[in-house]
Amino acid sequence: MPQPEGEAPPRHGGNVHQLARRLNRHPRRILDFSASLVPFGPPRSLRRVLCRALNDHVAPYPDPAYQALREATAQAHGLPDPGWVLPGNGAAELFTWAARDAQSLINLLPAPGFADYQRALATWGAVGRSLPLRLHWGDGPQSWVEALAEPRVLHSLDPQRTALWITNPHNPTGQLWRRDSLEPLLHAHGLVVVDEAFLPLVPDGEAHSLVPLAPRFGNLVVIRSLTKLFAMAGLRLGYAVAAPERLERWSRWRDPWPVNGLAVQAGLAVVADQVWQQRVWRWLAREGPWLTQHLNRRCPSLRVHPGAANYRLLSWGYSLTPLQQSLAQKGILVRDCRSFAGLDDHWLRIAVGCRRHNRRLAAAMAAGLRTLGRQPPATGARA
Ligand SMILES: Cc1ncc(COP(=O)(O)O)c(C=O)c1O
């Protein structure tokens, strides 16, 4: 554990099933800090909608045009009409179509970054080029270009022949990119794909969304996920915001009915739910800093990097694989970072969970580090 020797490190978080099989436990008894989902979801209203939908939306095919969901989503974002939105089977499905549009361009991907863009590009035989990020950053919204370790690479290429893949906030670092640092890129680059999967969870994050700019820039694709905010990763739902001609083209390429009938009903129920979103903002504004402070106190040898999203990147002067293994033995899953280009076994990513689970994680980490002999005795009791 975390994976048998010789196996590649996981490219995604959230594989509780694998660990549950190894420990011979029910997956519900695994504490999953490797996938970053709102820990108190899905909303009760969503559960009720899904129960009702079992009667009417399992047997029939969904509307192949997804008209109602497109209308509700366009309205929630103040977009001119439903043609600017395309629902997808999670954000991940939509990366595949963005990659098809990008296949003839030079694709530039900040590293370390989310591995799924490379998967999407590889589907079409394209390979992304890494744009290394500096591995030190501060708190608060930041400039995307200034975060690049070698911004010259960006300037050495014809921008019209390049596609930028931007994650806001960035995964795995949690950096929130300022909208005014992204907007100039839209004037120059052939295609700009902005993955805002975690942005709706970030307090004040919407101020940095590029969704409002979509009607002005035909080269902009914004991809959103509903799976994190509403804790419905198993249901799969995301959407793209882009020019209607582009989205029509994508619709022709993909399988019919990629979004199932239950996911459509779920989307209709939650897409404009601001009360839930505000609850999530309050939780993250409270719990994110608490987790950071608590880890700093309980595990002073560990570095907890600042982040705006509902996850934190951790680093250490030694390999974190033994710690990861000892956590896994206790049924606690954290995100192995070796599959992120530019990171190695000195890094881990953890989700922000609920207070009780965050305490458990911090206690298990402190105990694990003490066992490894790299940690002073615990200084703090409960905070
Ligand atoms: C940055 C980022 N974007 C998108 C996704 C995938 O979202 P979805 O579940 O909607 O496919 C993930 C999943 O971990 C992610 O980390």
Side-chain angles (χ1 to χ4, degrees):
M1 264 174 283
Q3 70 273 325
E5 227 165 289
E7 242 179 58
R11 288 161 58 86
H12 290 282
N15 197 344
V16 287
H17 306 279
Q18 194 181 44
L19 180 59
R21 277 195 299 276
R22 263 184 227 151
L23 295 180
N24 198 18
R25 280 194 194 177
H26 192 283
R28 233 188 281 145
R29 293 196 47 233
I30 303 295
L31 212 48
D32 184 12
F33 282 90
S34 73
S36 304
L37 310 173
V38 165
F40 47 85
R44 218 168 275 171
S45 58
L46 176 59
R47 293 170 206 239
R48 279 197 297 271
V49 164
L50 287 174
C51 286
R52 280 200 302 273
L54 289 176
N55 291 328
D56 297 329
H57 296 281
V58 170
Y61 283 102
D63 169 12
Y66 298 113
Q67 194 58 25
L69 185 53
R70 294 172 95 159
E71 275 169 18
T73 312
Q75 201 178 2
H77 283 293
L79 290 162
D81 76 63
W84 289 87
V85 175
L86 184 69
N89 188 29
E93 189 228 350
L94 299 161
F95 299 142
T96 305
W97 309 121
R100 183 163 176 180
D101 271 353
Q103 63 181 313
S104 60
L105 299 170
I106 301 167
N107 285 276
L108 299 174
L109 283 64
F114 185 43
D116 206 48
Y117 315 140
Q118 290 282 14
R119 187 272 313 157
L121 288 165
T123 308
W124 310 109
V127 185
R129 273 175 64 172
S130 287
L131 280 180
L133 289 169
R134 285 186 282 112
L135 285 179
H136 295 279
W137 61 95
D139 244 332
Q142 354 209 313
S143 157
W144 185 83
V145 177
E146 285 170 20
L148 299 177
E150 296 158 29
R152 273 174 305 136
V153 176
L154 205 58
H155 304 304
S156 66
L157 299 162
D158 172 4
Q160 277 306 315
R161 293 192 49 240
T162 60
L164 300 181
W165 291 74
I166 294 171
T167 319
N168 198 18
H170 194 68
N171 180 6
T173 61
Q175 287 158 291
L176 176 65
W177 307 124
R178 289 197 327 258
R179 183 201 284 191
D180 64 9
S181 77
L182 301 178
E183 193 171 340
L185 305 170
L186 298 170
H187 293 279
H189 293 272
L191 182 65
V192 179
V193 181
V194 184
D195 172 5
E196 296 187 351
F198 288 99
L199 196 64
L201 286 80
V202 177
D204 300 324
E206 297 288 354
H208 300 286
S209 172
L210 294 200
V211 168
L213 302 185
R216 279 178 41 212
F217 293 95
N219 58 339
L220 170 64
V221 171
V222 182
I223 295 180
R224 288 245 173 164
S225 169
L226 296 177
T227 67
K228 289 107 184 28
L229 180 61
F230 297 102
M232 47 187 253
L235 203 52
R236 317 295 305 128
L237 188 60
Y239 54 91
V241 176
E245 316 80 71
R246 184 187 298 282
L247 298 181
E248 269 163 36
R249 189 166 64 236
W250 292 12
S251 300
R252 286 194 298 274
W253 287 337
R254 58 190 196 158
D255 295 352
W257 313 290
V259 180
N260 70 73
L262 294 181
V264 170
Q265 294 309 307
L268 286 169
V270 299
V271 76
D273 189 344
Q274 291 186 352
V275 174
W276 178 264
Q277 194 177 24
Q278 281 163 14
R279 182 174 166 200
V280 170
W281 291 343
R282 284 195 300 275
W283 157 74
L284 190 55
R286 190 180 60 240
E287 207 56 37
W290 185 88
L291 178 62
T292 299
Q293 282 161 20
H294 194 63
L295 280 173
N296 281 338
R297 191 163 54 240
R298 302 243 24 201
C299 310
S301 61
L302 211 55
R303 177 142 188 227
V304 186
H305 295 265
N310 57 326
Y311 43 85
R312 292 288 182 274
L313 198 54
L314 312 177
S315 64
W316 205 40
Y318 307 90
S319 170
L320 280 164
T321 304
L323 176 67
Q324 200 186 337
Q325 287 168 338
S326 91
L327 293 172
Q329 250 134 19
K330 293 176 181 149
I332 300 176
L333 195 59
V334 293
R335 179 66 160 88
D336 189 310
C337 283
R338 285 173 297 162
S339 66
F340 289 108
L343 300 189
D344 57 17
D345 59 341
H346 292 59
W347 299 80
L348 285 181
R349 196 196 67 198
I350 53 168
V352 179
C354 64
R355 179 68 56 95
R356 189 163 61 89
H357 290 166
N358 290 339
R359 275 191 207 284
R360 244 179 89 187
L361 173 70
M365 286 185 125
L369 290 172
R370 266 197 309 280
T371 311
L372 293 173
R374 304 275 190 202
Q375 160 103 340
T379 52
R382 292 162 68 90

